[in-house]
Every structure is written in structure tokens, then in C-alpha cells.
Amino acid sequence: MKPRIAVVGGGWAGLAAAVAAVQRGAQVSLFEMAPTLGGRARSTAPKHPGAPALDNGQHILIGAYSATLDLMRTVGVDPEQVLLRRPLSLVNAHGQGLRLPQGPALIALTRGVLSHPAWTGPERLALLARSGVWALRGFRCDPRLSVAELCRGMAPALRRDLIDPLCVAALNTPADQASAEVFLRVLRDALFSGPGAADLLLPKAPLAELLPHPAQRWLEQHGATITLGQRVEALGALSTADAPGADGIILACSALEAARLTQDIAPTWSREAAAFGYEPIVTVNLQAHGLDGRPLNLAAPMVQLPEHTEAQPNPAQFVFDQGQIQGQPGRFSFVISGAAPWVERGQAATLAAIQAQAEALWPGARLAVESYVAEKRATFRCTPGLHRPAARPDPRLSPRLVVAGDYIEGPYPATLEGAVRSGQAAAHALV
Ligand SMILES: Cc1cc2nc3c(=O)[nH]c(=O)nc-3n(C[C@H](O)[C@H](O)[C@H](O)COP(=O)(O)OP(=O)(O)OC[C@H]3O[C@@H](n4cnc5c(N)ncnc54)[C@H](O)[C@@H]3O)c2cc1C
């Protein structure tokens, strides 16, 4: 008889867990409290017919996300069709900055750094030397270090143009608060795990079409049941009423919900899961047209914006040209990572500052804000020495309970790849 597995939560971790459990021969029942699958990487239905589906936030994948890309293929999605692949580039609105050419990572990095137009010769050499030292140390460091401490002594231009934007984009935590250990791990995977690992993969399709909808179809075709709009209130109720006699439970809900559901059976674990700090991400989508009505564009699909200063508030670190990415000319997504201060200032102040950033990009343009999405708990704050809960809350008392999610102990910051890997690991542990 097939083992029966209940999966709580239909984000990317829950979907990865469900697919992996089915592949291992389990009968899967998945419960999602929202009306749609996808969790923190989801699309909502268009506001009116013909309007684009609205994602809850711009997502970037990289070539090193091997588990995620394989999972997409398993459920019938060709990543090359739904993702725009470009060699890593961190360029400004004039198209100037770091551009990694194609080819083996080390050579590409060296060539990219040596041809950076804004860095002096000594700055370029210092960066290569520093990267060499990190590589020689196996991209490991004292876990108590912050990224700012790791990069102490580095030229301000290197911090401003490379380290700080990369850190806040990858860890959603400012460099002075972010874990150097996790940052180095991301660098290692992106830059040193084979050709194409550092490539940026930008969604050409709504997030729902990257995984949630195809995974739903695949799971249903393979006999799994998916119940939407049902919040699991208690684990006891789950194993008796909704999935009678489940042989195993994979908790793939948020850390706070997992903490609530386990507070009686694994109180220590539950306290750890409840203890995270969170960092918001704000995405502002707007339309930008010239005075002649023609849609505007940018020098690259993803453009780095000038740094934020007190004198010149620049909330968004990056802007994405959806004309180049999703075939929607004139539509742009401004992304504020590490957005706590802006969420505090409020929507009106944030929108005004974003409009000012857009006006600086396209003086005199006609701008129309389309949407403002603030995900208050977008990711956990990835700080030095952060203790992340293990996948098994209590192996002795509840051997058939495994937890999955981007926050579970692991090498990655809160990412799609971390979520997918932890979901797959949970299924492998149970089935
Ligand atoms: C705006 C934004 C931008 C991001 N950008 C990137 C990026 O560029 N690259 C990247 O890799 N990552 C990015 N991330 C992070 C990424 O989205 C997450 O790491 C990932 O989606 C987490 O997946 P998860 O399955 O672990 O958790 P979640 O997506 O939170 O899934 C948990 C699910 O469980 C459900 N649930 C909770 N409680 C219950 C319950 N009691 N019963 C039933 N269901 C329940 C929830 O509704 C949810 O669907 C971004 C996140 C945000 C918000």
C-alpha cells in the first residue's frame, strides 16, 4: 500500500515536497490556505480581462538554481521558454557597469572585473585579489562576521557598485547586518559552480506559470489531491479528519504557522521557528511613456539604480524593464529590498520617492503607477550567526513529521532554491 503523506502549504517548498513524494510512490494530499498556490512567489488573477497577471514581487533566479530548474522540467516546464537568460550584469541606466561575458566562471569574472569602466586599475586588482583569498579559504569565514566586516578596507566604489547591491538582492538584508557566511556561499554557487551558474534568469511568464500551475496539473494527473482555501488548524485534526491516518506530515507553511502547529508537540523547536526577524520587499510597477506616447525602455532588462543617501533618497536598488523581459513595453518594476525603513514611512512617501527615481531615469516622461505590493515578511533577516531550525522538530516524539521551507537550516538565504531543496529533502526523509 502507498504511504500517505499530507503536505501543509502550497508554496514552492510544499510543491517540491509533494512532487518528490509522488515520485517516490506516495499518495499525497496537499492543503493550502490561500485560494492559489505559490506562497510568496505567486501570481494573482488580472484585475480585468487582458490585463497582465500581477505577481506579488519581481523574482530573479540564477543558473545555479539546479533543483528548481529540474523541478520545473519534471512538471513539464521548459525553463528556457519561461525565463530570460542573460549573463550576470550589474549595470546602471547608461548600460555601464559589471558585465560577465559567457564562458568558464573564473575567466568570466576576471574579464568582467578588468573591463569595469568605473573602477580604477588598483580597485579591479584589489577585488580580484580579495575574491582569490575567499576562494582559497573555500568561501568560508567566521559565522559571526557581517558582509560589511568581511569587506572592510574595500574601496567605496566596489562596495557601492557590487557588494552592497548584490548583498541586498541575494540576502534581502543590508550589508552591515547580513551574514558574510551565507553571502560567500551564494558567491561560491553563483561564480564557481560551472558555466552559466551566475546567469540571471528573469521570469518572462507570470510566476504561477513557472511552477505553481504546472505542478498543480502534474500532481493531479499523478493522483495527488490539492485542497485550496483550507487552513490547517491543528496537526491532530489533519491526520484524523482531512487525511485520515496520514503516514507522514510535511509542514511546508510559514515559520510562524509551523511554530503555532508544533507548540504542544515540540515547544523548543516551535520557539526557534517563531524567533525570526523579517525583512520586507516592496515592488512598484509603473508605466513610463515619452511625451509622444511611445513606451520608454532601459539599457538592460535589469538596471541598478543610484545608491540611497539621506540627501538623495533612492528606495529601489533595481528596476526591471518588462518590455525586454515579458514583452510588455513601457512597464517597469521597481524593487526595494531590505525595505523596512520604507514600509515604515508608508505607501505615499514610498511612491513619491519611486516616482522621483523614475523621473531621474526619464526626465519629462509620463508616469502612471500601476501597483504597489509590500510583502512585509518577504524573507527572514539573514544575519550573522542566525540559528535556523532543523527539519525535524522532534525525531523521537514525532518521527513522521518533517518541516520544509526556505527558513529551515541550510546553506541558502531565503530563496526559491532553498525552499525547493528543503521540500525535496523532507519528502526524501519521509518516503
Ligand atoms: C517580493 C518577494 C521577492 C522575492 N524575490 C526573490 C528572488 O528574486 N529570488 C528568490 O530566489 N527568492 C525570492 N524571494 C523569496 C522566495 O519567494 C521564497 O523564499 C519562497 O517563495 C519561499 O517558499 P516557501 O514554500 O518556503 O514558503 P511560502 O511561499 O511562504 O509558502 C508557505 C505556504 O503555506 C501556506 N500556509 C501557511 N499556513 C498554512 C496552514 N496553516 N494551512 C495551510 N496552508 C498554510 C501559505 O499560504 C503559503 O502558501 C522573494 C520573496 C518575496 C516575497
Side-chain angles (χ1 to χ4, degrees), residues 222-423:
H222 287 77
T225 57
I226 297 180
T227 310
L228 296 175
Q230 181 165 340
R231 181 180 190 221
V232 171
E233 297 293 348
L235 293 184
L238 177 74
S239 55
T240 53
D242 302 314
D247 299 310
I249 298 175
I250 298 175
L251 267 191
C253 47
S254 61
L256 282 175
E257 276 289 282
R260 182 183 67 77
L261 288 166
T262 54
Q263 61 191 350
D264 294 333
I265 53 169
T268 309
W269 189 95
S270 166
R271 275 194 296 277
E272 283 173 12
F276 282 103
Y278 290 90
E279 196 61 56
I281 297 179
V282 172
T283 309
V284 176
N285 291 308
L286 58 74
Q287 296 275 350
H289 289 84
L291 286 179
D292 55 4
R294 268 192 276 183
L296 294 168
N297 53 30
L298 290 169
M302 173 177 130
V303 157
Q304 190 181 336
L305 294 168
E307 67 176 335
H308 170 77
T309 61
E310 280 313 311
Q312 181 58 56
N314 285 315
Q317 296 91 4
F318 290 99
V319 54
F320 296 80
D321 181 345
Q322 302 299 357
Q324 295 183 52
I325 302 170
Q326 301 199 330
Q328 297 167 5
R331 186 161 185 264
F332 299 89
S333 305
F334 286 74
V335 176
I336 315 176
S337 298
W342 288 97
V343 169
E344 215 165 276
R345 283 180 214 196
Q347 179 172 344
T350 307
L351 282 178
I354 291 284
Q355 294 240 27
Q357 277 192 296
E359 274 154 22
L361 279 177
W362 307 287
R366 280 195 223 148
L367 303 172
V369 173
E370 210 177 77
S371 62
Y372 163 96
V373 188
E375 283 275 1
K376 293 203 174 131
R377 289 202 195 103
T379 68
F380 61 82
R381 194 171 291 139
C382 191
T383 48
L386 177 72
H387 179 73
R388 288 160 67 177
R392 283 188 181 271
D394 189 334
R396 254 176 331 109
L397 290 179
S398 43
R400 310 306 295 161
L401 176 67
V402 184
V403 188
D406 62 356
Y407 66 93
I408 291 297
E409 193 176 51
Y412 295 94
T415 52
L416 299 172
E417 180 73 0
V420 166
R421 284 181 184 245
S422 95

